[in-house]
Amino acid sequence: YADNDGDSYGDPLSSTQACSQPAGYVSNNTDCDDSDALERPGQVWYKDTDNDGYAQTGAATITQCLRPAGYKVAAELTSTTGDCNDNNAAIHPAATEICDGIDNNCNAATDEGVLTTYYADNDGDSYGDPLSSTQACSQPAGYVSNNTDCDDSDALERPGQVWYKDTDNDGYAQTGAATITQCLRPAGYKVAAELTNTTGDCNDDNTTINPGTTEICNDLDDDCNGIVDDIGGSTQGNWDNDDIGNANGTSEFPPCEAEPIDTFYVQSYGFGQPNNDTRHMVYQNLCGDMSISARILDIDGGGWAGISMQESLSPGSKKAALKTQLTNSLFREIRSVTGGNQNLMMLSRPQHNWLKLTRTGNVFTGYTSVNGISWSMAFTTTIIMNECIQIGLFSESINNSTETSVEIDQVNISGGQNQSMPLINHNDIADFAPVHFEVAMYPNPVNTYLFVRLNHSESNSATIQVLGLLGEMWKERKVDDMQAADNGIDMSDLPAGIYLLRVTTSDKEMITKRIIKQ
């Protein structure tokens, strides 16, 4: 029988007869496929469905002549066993392990040697916790590839963080303090995102001192701008400055709580009209009854120096003012109607370089002096003004091209309240109810003793009180006989200013009057 495939098994369908075995023929006829030497009787077949050269581990062999589908003989295989997934040609013992969650090389281990270690990033700062890790083929959510975080519960504490010194915790880092670059937060330090500014604090031991603080009168640079007490305006004792009209002025002055020895320097250009002032003013915003006095030291440029009480800083404001050129004469100015012409009067007062103005309700009184001790009245007038006015010093030139510079010292303001304090309503300072007694007092203004005379037909006793404008009590005296002679009250130890005299009888009748203490 023909043995075309040389497997020693003959083709039953192809034979010849001969005395001896011809070449290419065998004596048996058991071949099932004489075109394939592998297909022969007793052949052992191994399962290799995925055709990767590795037979399936644990799969039974088949012994038969014809090749079963998905099977190979041992000679066709790299190994007759070992394939752990015979449906995937990429999975077999010789495969390279890759990170895919599969045992690619059939060694009973998955992704061995190819996993990446990732570290928990609980605070979301992109830096991992070295004490909390996992292995995966790709980065899991909430994990990073580094393990350099020093505190995975605080996103601000991370490698390379820049810290700024803010010991007082006011949101401003200390000016000039070196930063610290490290992971953990140093005590008293913050990152830029926690701060209002990464510099600017001139006192990092005081939370009330920083660039965001409002300057107050306390001999400190509260707002860290390099200037102590550079404030002005609405706080009692604080000075501000501005032009009235086109004065183009400047000034130098203690911003608050000026001492008598302090000198105010005020410069301005331009000369106003009767209904339109032009001057530079250093002032305070105060309310109620008050007084101001000052000494004019020097005038350069031929203009005027003076003091003023006025309703506003507008050029046509209501006002009462005194001004001098340090000659034998000085001037009194009164404007009782906004925008109206001022009433100007010249007074002959040689060497009177001390000026003083007082306000009691709507009564304005001016005084002059050669020594600041003995005062001569210059005028008194009634001007209906707002409760709160501007009170201060001014410089006024003679024309637009000449600068007048003045020096003023011994500046003293008494009485008055800033606008944040409760006011005494002048309309309320009167008899509080119908009364049946009389009160007379003298002298007023007073320097030392004030004498109070009472006359009442019904009550026998009363209480006499001297009060400040905010209601604080300075003096008190009990009177048992309202028909007695004058009752003296020592005022010599009180500061100059405006006070209230209040008399209350035993049957609760009350009269209040004003006192000016010189």
Side-chain angles (χ1 to χ4, degrees):
Y1 298 88
D3 182 16
N4 295 310
D5 55 11
D7 61 0
S8 299
Y9 295 92
D11 182 358
L13 300 178
S14 176
S15 61
T16 187
Q17 289 184 325
C19 293
S20 60
Q21 182 175 334
Y25 282 78
V26 293
S27 61
N28 69 79
N29 63 351
T30 58
D31 203 348
C32 57
D33 182 356
D34 197 38
S35 64
D36 187 343
L38 296 178
E39 291 185 298
R40 61 191 182 195
Q43 184 65 280
V44 178
W45 300 97
Y46 299 85
K47 190 173 184 292
D48 183 20
T49 305
D50 56 11
N51 196 34
D52 60 2
Y54 290 85
Q56 179 178 335
T57 298
T61 59
I62 296 176
T63 302
Q64 65 181 38
C65 182
L66 286 173
R67 179 192 299 269
Y71 281 73
K72 291 182 179 180
V73 300
E76 295 176 300
L77 296 170
T78 301
S79 176
T80 59
T81 187
D83 197 341
C84 57
N85 186 341
D86 201 35
N87 294 311
N88 189 331
I91 297 176
H92 53 76
T96 299
E97 189 73 12
I98 61 175
C99 210
D100 56 2
I102 298 172
D103 180 12
N104 305 96
N105 59 6
C106 294
N107 67 346
T110 301
D111 297 336
E112 72 281 1
V114 292
L115 287 170
T116 299
T117 301
Y118 295 96
Y119 300 88
D121 181 21
N122 295 309
D123 56 13
D125 62 0
S126 300
Y127 296 90
D129 182 354
L131 302 178
S132 178
S133 64
T134 188
Q135 289 190 318
C137 295
S138 60
Q139 183 173 325
Y143 283 77
V144 293
S145 59
N146 69 80
N147 63 349
T148 56
D149 206 345
C150 57
D151 183 355
D152 200 39
S153 65
D154 188 341
L156 297 178
E157 293 186 297
R158 60 193 186 204
Q161 183 65 276
V162 179
W163 301 96
Y164 298 85
K165 188 173 184 290
D166 182 21
T167 305
D168 58 11
N169 196 34
D170 62 2
Y172 291 84
Q174 180 178 334
T175 299
T179 59
I180 296 177
T181 301
Q182 65 182 41
C183 185
L184 285 172
R185 181 192 296 270
Y189 281 74
K190 292 182 178 179
V191 301
E194 296 177 300
L195 296 169
T196 302
N197 202 311
T198 57
T199 187
D201 197 339
C202 56
N203 186 340
D204 202 37
D205 295 318
N206 189 330
T207 188
T208 64
I209 297 178
N210 59 62
T213 297
T214 300
E215 190 79 8
I216 61 175
C217 279
N218 57 2
D219 293 326
L220 298 174
D221 180 13
D222 302 283
D223 59 6
C224 293
N225 69 346
I227 305 174
V228 174
D229 291 344
D230 57 320
I231 62 177
S234 61
T235 303
Q236 190 170 22
N238 299 348
W239 293 93
D240 208 342
N241 74 104
D242 205 350
D243 283 334
I244 298 175
N246 298 318
N248 195 27
T250 58
S251 52
E252 298 176 26
F253 53 90
C256 57
E257 307 299 347
E259 299 292 335
I261 61 173
D262 292 327
T263 301
F264 291 69
Y265 301 90
V266 190
Q267 301 84 35
S268 67
Y269 292 85
F271 180 66
Q273 301 301 316
N275 64 345
N276 196 322
D277 298 327
T278 301
R279 56 185 53 162
H280 190 74
M281 187 170 180
V282 178
Y283 65 92
Q284 294 183 27
N285 295 293
L286 295 177
C287 313
D289 293 340
M290 65 194 79
S291 69
I292 180 173
S293 61
R295 178 175 65 176
I296 311 303
L297 282 177
D298 185 54
I299 301 175
D300 184 28
W304 288 265
I307 60 176
S308 179
M309 292 181 175
Q310 49 197 80
E311 196 167 55
S312 72
L313 296 180
S314 66
S317 170
K318 298 176 186 178
K319 68 175 181 178
L322 284 170
K323 66 182 183 181
T324 180
Q325 290 180 301
L326 293 181
T327 62
N328 290 335
S329 301
L330 51 82
F331 289 89
R332 175 222 69 184
E333 297 177 333
I334 296 171
R335 183 182 292 122
S336 57
V337 177
T338 302
N341 288 337
Q342 67 180 1
N343 185 311
L344 183 68
M345 182 175 70
M346 185 175 69
L347 306 170
S348 178
R349 300 283 174 97
Q351 299 180 344
H352 280 235
N353 62 333
W354 289 75
L355 307 178
K356 180 177 180 179
L357 290 172
T358 67
R359 177 188 186 177
T360 305
N362 289 315
V363 177
F364 295 82
T365 305
Y367 302 87
T368 67
S369 175
V370 296
N371 56 18
I373 299 174
S374 299
W375 293 91
S376 300
M377 181 181 289
F379 72 91
T380 184
T381 186
T382 298
I383 307 174
I384 307 301
M385 282 199 201
N386 293 335
E387 189 75 21
C388 301
I389 61 174
Q390 279 71 47
I391 173 175
L393 324 167
F394 67 86
S395 167
E396 183 178 16
S397 184
I398 55 177
N399 57 54
N400 291 328
S401 59
T402 301
E403 180 186 67
T404 291
S405 299
V406 306
E407 297 179 25
I408 304 173
D409 72 349
Q410 296 297 321
V411 179
N412 178 60
I413 289 180
S414 62
Q417 308 157 59
N418 66 62
Q419 295 187 40
S420 65
M421 299 173 69
L423 298 175
I424 296 290
N425 188 331
H426 289 292
N427 295 326
D428 294 339
I429 302 177
D431 294 355
F432 288 83
V435 294
H436 304 90
F437 72 105
E438 296 176 353
V439 175
M441 62 182 182
Y442 64 92
N444 189 19
V446 60
N447 283 319
T448 54
Y449 272 88
L450 178 73
F451 295 96
V452 181
R453 178 174 295 175
L454 307 177
N455 183 11
H456 200 300
S457 60
E458 298 179 6
S459 294
N460 291 322
S461 62
T463 301
I464 302 174
Q465 295 174 320
V466 177
L467 307 174
L469 290 178
L470 297 181
E472 69 275 24
M473 186 168 66
W474 290 90
K475 302 281 184 177
E476 184 175 78
R477 176 173 176 173
K478 302 293 184 179
V479 177
D480 294 327
D481 183 2
M482 294 188 65
Q483 306 299 325
D486 294 340
N487 301 282
I489 299 177
D490 185 4
M491 302 282 287
S492 62
D493 59 338
L494 298 186
I498 309 297
Y499 295 86
L500 302 177
L501 179 78
R502 177 171 295 170
V503 179
T504 307
T505 67
S506 58
D507 53 3
K508 305 305 181 183
E509 290 186 314
M510 183 184 298
I511 289 179
T512 303
K513 294 180 176 291
R514 295 186 190 87
I515 313 165
I516 299 176
K517 169 63 169 63
Q518 293 187 335

